């Protein structure tokens, strides 16, 4: 077994979005940046988010059984930086963001604030949590999915934020036909 420590450069080869997870608890409304936020089922709609064991968001979700998933848009690197660099135990990150003119709205089906803007927003009800080493996986049922935005998601890798830029084309039709012939040739 091998551990990938925080400073291990090998872990920087993974590419993710930035999930801004909103929750509510004894310290009020909170937002945190979660590098590991995934859509894991189409039907029924499910989202998985992995959260460190020392996070206030973990406590909030375990207590309330609900959370918001706000996929950060390319222009939300400031929100992601504040949500990811400060601990909700010590700082009211929502108030900091509001003073910087970022807006939040009340969720429709859960008692959690949602960002008023982003690549995607989902209201989730907790259906399962699984301890996975350093993190806990929270599996949420999607109760509400806000209208699709034209904003691109913020990309995170190598401890830096990135924008989507150039599309890489799939193989052309002739090459795909050749692949299909090889697939048929090697069918078991």
């Amino acid at each position: 077994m091998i551990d990938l420590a925080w400073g291990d450069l090998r872990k920087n080869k993974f590419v993710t979005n930035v999930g801004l997870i909103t929750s509510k608890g004894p310290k009020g409304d909170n937002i945190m940046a979660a590098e590991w936020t995934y859509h894991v089922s189409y039907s029924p709609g499910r989202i998985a988010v992995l959260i460190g064991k020392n996070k206030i968001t973990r406590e909030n979700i375990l207590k309330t059984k609900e959370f918001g998933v706000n996929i950060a848009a390319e222009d939300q690197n400031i929100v992601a930086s504040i949500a990811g660099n400060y601990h909700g135990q010590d700082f009211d990150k929502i108030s900091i963001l509001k003073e910087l003119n970022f807006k939040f709205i009340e969720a429709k089906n859960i008692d959690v604030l949602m960002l008023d803007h982003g690549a995607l927003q989902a209201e989730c009800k907790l259906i399962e949590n699984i301890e996975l080493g350093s993190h806990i996986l929270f599996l949420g049922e999607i109760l509400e999915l806000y209208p699709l935005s034209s904003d691109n998601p913020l990309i995170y890798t190598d401890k830096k934020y990135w924008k989507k830029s150039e599309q890489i084309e799939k193989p052309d039709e002739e090459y795909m036909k050749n692949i299909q012939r090889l697939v048929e040739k090697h069918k078991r």
Side-chain angles (χ1 to χ4, degrees):
M1 183 178 88
I2 188 168
D3 291 337
L4 282 173
W6 177 252
D8 190 324
L9 297 177
R10 293 173 292 181
K11 73 172 195 56
N12 294 339
K13 298 301 179 184
F14 294 95
V15 177
T16 64
N17 61 25
V18 178
L20 299 167
I21 311 306
T22 50
S23 63
K24 184 178 278 187
K27 296 237 179 211
D29 294 305
N30 190 53
I31 185 168
M32 70 162 283
E35 184 178 350
W36 302 325
T37 306
Y38 306 100
H39 176 235
V40 295
S41 173
Y42 295 117
S43 181
R46 302 277 191 259
I47 293 178
V49 61
L50 286 98
I51 298 174
K53 294 178 182 177
N54 67 339
K55 303 296 184 186
I56 195 170
T57 300
R58 177 194 66 85
E59 296 172 27
N60 292 349
I61 294 172
L62 288 173
K63 183 176 181 177
T64 65
K65 310 290 189 234
E66 58 189 22
F67 57 98
V69 174
N70 305 267
I71 302 299
E74 289 177 340
D75 65 351
Q76 291 181 315
N77 60 318
I78 294 169
V79 178
S81 291
I82 291 168
N85 288 326
Y86 300 95
H87 198 291
Q89 189 71 30
D90 303 319
F91 300 96
D92 181 349
K93 296 181 278 185
I94 299 284
S95 292
I96 294 167
L97 290 165
K98 284 180 178 179
E99 283 199 40
L100 291 170
N101 294 317
F102 291 98
K103 297 189 181 356
F104 291 84
I105 58 173
E106 297 287 333
K108 299 174 186 175
N109 300 289
I110 57 177
D111 186 24
V112 170
L113 290 178
M114 304 292 289
L115 275 172
D116 189 27
H117 166 78
L120 184 73
Q121 294 99 343
E123 297 179 15
C124 296
K125 201 62 131 165
L126 179 66
I127 54 175
E128 189 173 356
N129 57 288
I130 304 167
E131 190 169 321
L132 298 173
S134 62
H135 287 66
I136 297 175
L137 181 144
F138 291 95
L139 183 61
E141 175 185 4
I142 301 171
L143 302 177
E144 186 78 35
L145 200 57
Y146 291 22
L148 184 60
S149 167
S150 61
D151 294 327
N152 286 324
L154 185 64
I155 298 167
Y156 185 76
T157 187
D158 199 18
K159 297 183 184 178
K160 297 177 185 108
Y161 300 123
W162 301 85
K163 289 183 177 184
K164 268 175 53 174
S165 61
E166 181 181 348
Q167 177 184 352
I168 298 171
E169 296 296 326
K170 291 181 178 181
D172 64 28
E173 187 176 337
E174 189 58 40
Y175 200 86
M176 289 304 294
K177 285 179 184 177
N178 188 40
I179 290 172
Q180 188 60 40
R181 283 190 291 276
L182 290 172
V183 167
E184 291 300 321
K185 178 181 174 181
H186 295 283
K187 187 175 183 178
R188 295 183 184 183

